[in-house]
Amino acid sequence: MTTTSARTPRPQPRGGRARAAIAAKTLRTDRWWFAPLITVVGLSAWVIYATVRVFMHKWYWVEQYHYLTPFYSPCVTDRCVEGSSHFGQFLPGWWIIPDAALTLPFLLLFRLTCYYYRKAYYRSFWLSPPACAVPDGHQSYSGETRFPLLSQNLHRYFFYAAAIISLINTWDAILAFHSPEGFGFGLGNIILLVNVVMLWAYTISCHSCRHIIGGRLKHFSKHPMRYKAWTGVSWLNVRHMQLAWITLGTLALTDFYVMAVAAGWINDLRFIN
Ligand code: FES
């Protein structure tokens, strides 16, 4: 898929330097197109799965073990099955309203404005540009200086919302240590816990979080605790891309497992009660 066909040099962005007079579209001979392609496939598959599940309105709660899928947490419509609403039911159960309508929009905006996902979908869906040393797929480039992309700067506020939602997911995972006999522990608990730990790791590794923890300081030496916290967040931050993908996987796996148990396709593997 290496592209070396001749082309007319494009107009340059305002104030930008003229591109070198190279007739080829790109001189790269490696598989630069593979990363954008796999990103399109992976993100599209996940979005389709999540959309189907969110509007399915069933198989999200296992009454016996109190497993609640994160796609329905917290369940706040009056359609939510008994026991699944840990924070009340104050929205109408219309088909178009997700049962977790209170949190899903913020989670969507948190991921959409995430620094890593921006890079991923700018490159793969918008081809802007698809890879280093490969021309932009568009005639002009304004970056994030105008509406609507200017609103990407709201990311830090979605981070606060995501942190609160991670607390709710943590609470769900704690409540799931349940069985008809009282305390219980099964494979579902492990899956819910791993998902929550990964969600925290992704949330804390956020670039905005790193700035909140260590930004606006002149001397780290005078703030040893913040330096320590910033060092930990920085360690996670360099793994942010991996965590972004891992959490998509753990979210889908957790949801699928809860769906499979709730639907009666499989039995939960129980270790205690
Ligand atoms: S930069 Fe990715 S979640 Fe904040």
Side-chain angles (χ1 to χ4, degrees):
M1 198 162 164
T2 306
T3 40
T4 52
S5 57
R7 68 186 201 99
T8 313
R10 290 202 172 131
Q12 296 305 307
R14 260 178 303 159
R17 284 187 300 175
R19 184 177 186 260
I22 300 169
K25 191 171 178 184
T26 178
L27 297 180
R28 286 185 66 167
T29 56
D30 61 331
R31 295 191 305 163
W32 57 264
W33 46 267
F34 186 72
L37 177 67
I38 205 77
T39 304
V40 167
V41 171
L43 288 182
S44 301
W46 196 89
V47 168
I48 291 168
Y49 173 82
T51 306
V52 169
R53 279 295 289 144
V54 162
F55 292 103
M56 197 179 265
H57 300 305
K58 62 178 181 180
W59 297 335
Y60 53 86
W61 168 248
V62 180
E63 170 60 29
Q64 208 176 359
Y65 307 128
H66 288 190
Y67 293 160
L68 177 66
T69 162
F71 288 1
Y72 286 73
S73 174
C75 209
V76 293
T77 68
D78 57 20
R79 179 186 41 227
C80 294
V81 297
E82 204 180 328
S84 66
S85 300
H86 304 143
F87 295 89
Q89 301 180 343
F90 43 84
L91 290 180
W94 299 339
W95 177 85
I96 197 67
I97 297 182
D99 292 305
L102 204 59
T103 49
L104 290 187
F106 291 103
L107 287 179
L108 178 67
L109 289 167
F110 181 53
R111 299 246 172 188
L112 265 182
T113 57
C114 163
Y115 291 23
Y116 165 66
Y117 285 113
R118 272 145 77 174
K119 171 191 155 189
Y121 65 78
Y122 285 173
R123 288 191 172 190
S124 55
F125 287 88
W126 291 358
L127 307 178
S128 185
C132 293
V134 178
D136 200 289
H138 304 266
Q139 291 294 329
S140 62
Y141 176 79
S142 63
E144 295 174 339
T145 58
R146 293 198 301 238
F147 184 81
L149 292 185
L150 187 62
S151 53
Q152 302 278 31
N153 290 305
L154 294 173
H155 180 67
R156 71 194 72 175
Y157 301 107
F158 299 134
F159 161 76
Y160 294 124
I164 294 170
I165 295 167
S166 291
L167 283 174
I168 294 172
N169 292 144
T170 307
W171 182 239
D172 291 338
I174 293 170
L175 290 181
F177 287 100
H178 175 89
S179 82
E181 286 81 45
F183 177 82
F185 177 64
L187 179 58
N189 294 100
I190 295 176
I191 293 174
L192 283 165
L193 277 178
V194 168
N195 179 52
V196 158
V197 169
M198 287 297 125
L199 286 179
W200 273 117
Y202 170 69
T203 307
I204 291 172
S205 69
C206 168
H207 292 67
S208 292
C209 175
R210 186 167 176 264
H211 180 72
I212 290 164
I213 298 289
R216 296 174 182 271
L217 290 180
K218 285 200 172 131
H219 309 288
F220 266 136
S221 57
K222 291 185 180 160
H223 304 272
M225 291 305 291
R226 285 185 68 180
Y227 177 68
K228 208 166 180 168
W230 178 82
T231 307
V233 169
S234 298
W235 185 86
L236 281 173
N237 180 257
V238 294
R239 293 156 178 84
H240 194 58
M241 178 184 80
Q242 290 88 337
L243 288 166
W245 282 102
I246 288 170
T247 46
L248 289 187
T250 60
L251 279 167
L253 174 70
T254 307
D255 176 76
F256 188 82
Y257 188 83
V258 172
M259 174 170 67
V261 176
W265 301 337
I266 58 171
N267 290 320
D268 185 34
L269 177 62
R270 304 300 292 175
F271 306 120
I272 303 173
N273 293 329

